[in-house]
Amino acid sequence: MDESLTEDDFYSGPLRGIFSKLERQHLIFNVKTMILDGLSVPAELVRDIIVDDRFNVKILSIRKVTNMNQRGLQSVLRYVVRPSASSLPRLKGLYLFGHKDAAATPSSRDTSMSSGRISAGVMSSEGAQIGAEWNARSEVALSAALLGHDQPLEEWWRTRGNVFGPNNTIKDTPSSDWADILLACQGVIAFDAVLCRGPRHDPSQTAPERLLRPAIASIGFGARGCEICGSCPEQPAVFDRDADCYFPLLAPPPLHASTIRSAQRPTLPQSLETPPPLILRCTECVRDRWCQRCNKWWCENCYEEPFSRAKRQHHNSPEDGFQEDSGWIAEAMNSNAGTAVKVYSNLCVESCLVSEMLPVADGMWG
C-alpha cells in the first residue's frame, strides 16, 4: 500500500475509480443527479463533486453514507457558499438527513427471466442490467396505476410528530449545528430539511431574551396546525406561493428532471388538485405546547402558558413520578379557567395525561 495514501483516499477509492472510468468514456459531466446512499463517501469526495469542473451534479444524495466526517462536510459546504466565492456552486440540492429509499422489487417474471436463458450474452452487460432494473420499476408503477391505487400524500404533509425518525423518535434528528449550515446555504443549496419559522426565531416578533437560534424543523403538523385555529402565527407554507427554502427536498430524488422544483413538488393523491399547506416546527418551539402521544398542538396565538406554570420546573416524562403539589395539578385540570394548562410532561392534560396517571396513581382521583 502506498504510504502517501490518506484515509479519505482509501475510503473514496472505489467511487473515484468509477468516476475515472466514466470520465474516460466522456459520461461523467452528463450526470446531473447522483445517488450515493449507503456507500463509502468521505467529505473530501463530496468537495470534489461540488467543486471539480469534471462534474456537473445538480442534485446529490448521500443519505446514510459511511466514513463521512460531519464536521468536514460542514466545512466543505461553508466553503462553497462563502460570500467571497467567484461563482455559485453547480450543486442545487443535497439529500443528507433522510433514510435510503427502498430498492425496487422486481416482479416474479423479471426474476425468472433473469435466471433463465436470457441472463447470458448481452444481458450480462452493465448497461443491460441497468435497463432491466428500470423496466422492473416501470412495471411496478404501471401495475399500481392499472389497479387504481391512489398515490398517498407525501410523508412531510402526512406526519404529525418527528419527521426524521420512525415512530416519532428523535434519534435521527439532525444535530443543532446543521441549522447554521442550512442558513448559510439558504437560496443556494436546498436540503431534505428546512429551518423552523416559528415566531421565536424572528427578532421582529420576539423579545431578545426569548429569541432562539436557528433550528431545523423536526416536528410536522401536516396541514392541520393548531388545535384551535388550525394554522400557525408564521402562516403555513404553501407550495407554488412561498419561497423554495420553506420546503424540503422530497424522497426519492427526481431522476428525470434535476431541478429543485421537481425535487420539492409533492405527489398528490387524486382527490387533491393542489398541495395542502405545510406546518413544521423545531422541538423548542413546540415545548409544552405539543402532546407527543396524540400529536395535538396549540400555537402561540391561541394558548399562553399560565404564569404559575412558567415558574415551575418541568419534568421530561410522566414516569418521573408526578410529585407536583396537588394545588398545581388542580389548576392544570381546570378546563374552565382561561389559563388552564394544555400540556404537561409532554402529554395533553385533557386526555392523555389523565389516562397515563390513573393506572399509576391507584385511587388518587377517587
Side-chain angles (χ1 to χ4, degrees):
M1 181 179 294
D2 188 352
E3 294 183 356
S4 64
L5 190 68
T6 67
E7 184 178 11
D8 276 358
D9 291 337
F10 176 78
Y11 288 124
S12 63
L15 280 177
R16 290 189 186 277
I18 294 174
F19 294 161
S20 296
K21 182 178 180 180
L22 292 175
E23 184 181 14
R24 290 194 298 269
Q25 297 174 350
H26 306 289
L27 296 175
I28 192 65
F29 191 78
N30 296 323
V31 177
K32 294 185 178 180
T33 297
M34 183 176 290
I35 302 176
L36 305 178
D37 299 340
L39 303 178
S40 177
V41 184
E44 189 64 25
L45 182 60
V46 176
R47 179 190 178 278
D48 291 348
I49 294 173
I50 299 176
V51 176
D52 199 319
D53 289 337
R54 295 181 302 158
F55 297 92
N56 189 28
V57 176
K58 307 295 185 182
I59 294 180
L60 175 64
S61 181
I62 50 174
R63 295 167 294 180
K64 306 304 177 187
V65 298
T66 60
N67 305 309
M68 170 63 74
N69 183 307
Q70 295 287 320
R71 296 288 186 182
L73 179 59
Q74 290 174 1
S75 297
V76 168
L77 294 172
R78 284 190 182 276
Y79 172 77
V80 298
V81 299
R82 68 194 187 281
S84 61
S86 58
S87 61
L88 296 177
R90 292 190 179 98
L91 184 71
K92 300 304 177 184
L94 182 62
Y95 286 80
L96 177 63
F97 303 110
H99 296 277
K100 294 189 299 181
D101 299 316
T105 304
S107 65
S108 57
R109 177 176 178 271
D110 294 318
T111 304
S112 62
M113 290 178 65
S114 62
S115 60
R117 59 182 177 84
I118 65 171
S119 61
V122 68
M123 287 301 293
S124 63
S125 66
E126 182 179 2
Q129 292 301 317
I130 294 175
E133 179 182 356
W134 278 109
N135 286 338
R137 294 188 182 187
S138 299
E139 183 173 342
V140 171
L142 179 61
S143 299
L146 292 175
L147 290 173
H149 291 167
D150 198 8
Q151 291 292 329
L153 191 62
E154 298 287 351
E155 184 176 2
W156 283 84
W157 277 262
R158 288 186 289 112
T159 298
R160 287 181 65 85
N162 193 284
V163 296
F164 293 107
N167 302 319
N168 294 346
T169 61
I170 62 173
K171 64 180 181 178
D172 294 315
T173 302
S175 59
S176 58
D177 51 354
W178 274 107
D180 293 328
I181 303 300
L182 264 66
L183 183 61
C185 295
Q186 203 167 73
V188 181
I189 299 176
F191 293 81
D192 52 344
V194 295
L195 293 174
C196 177
R197 299 188 295 115
R200 292 191 62 188
H201 298 282
D202 187 350
S204 65
Q205 300 186 39
T206 305
E209 64 273 12
R210 288 181 52 81
L211 190 65
L212 296 175
R213 290 179 52 82
I216 289 180
S218 58
I219 309 299
F221 298 105
R224 179 177 173 183
C226 170
E227 285 298 308
I228 296 177
C229 68
S231 185
C232 59
E234 67 272 21
Q235 295 303 308
V238 177
F239 196 78
D240 282 333
R241 185 196 71 180
D242 293 321
D244 289 348
C245 61
Y246 290 179
F247 303 93
L249 302 178
L250 304 177
L255 298 177
H256 301 292
S258 301
T259 64
I260 296 304
R261 207 68 178 152
S262 61
Q264 292 177 334
R265 183 178 296 278
T267 302
L268 300 178
Q270 295 177 359
S271 57
L272 293 178
E273 295 182 358
T274 59
L278 178 63
I279 300 176
L280 300 169
R281 285 290 187 95
C282 68
T283 54
E284 191 62 33
C285 281
V286 300
R287 189 181 302 279
D288 297 326
R289 298 178 177 278
W290 168 50
C291 178
Q292 294 188 12
R293 173 178 290 181
C294 67
N295 285 318
K296 291 180 180 178
W297 171 68
W298 290 265
C299 74
E300 292 83 354
N301 288 345
C302 298
Y303 167 55
E304 182 177 354
E305 288 186 283
F307 179 73
S308 58
R309 155 68 174 269
K311 295 190 299 182
R312 297 179 182 271
Q313 180 179 4
H314 306 296
H315 292 294
N316 291 324
S317 66
E319 289 76 13
D320 289 328
F322 308 104
Q323 298 299 317
E324 292 70 27
D325 61 276
S326 57
W328 184 88
I329 294 180
E331 174 194 349
M333 297 297 296
N334 185 6
S335 59
N336 295 323
T339 57
V341 172
K342 298 291 187 184
V343 177
Y344 178 72
S345 294
N346 299 325
L347 297 175
C348 63
V349 174
E350 296 175 354
S351 55
C352 295
L353 181 64
V354 176
S355 63
E356 184 73 22
M357 293 179 69
L358 285 176
V360 176
D362 184 23
M364 180 177 178
W365 303 98

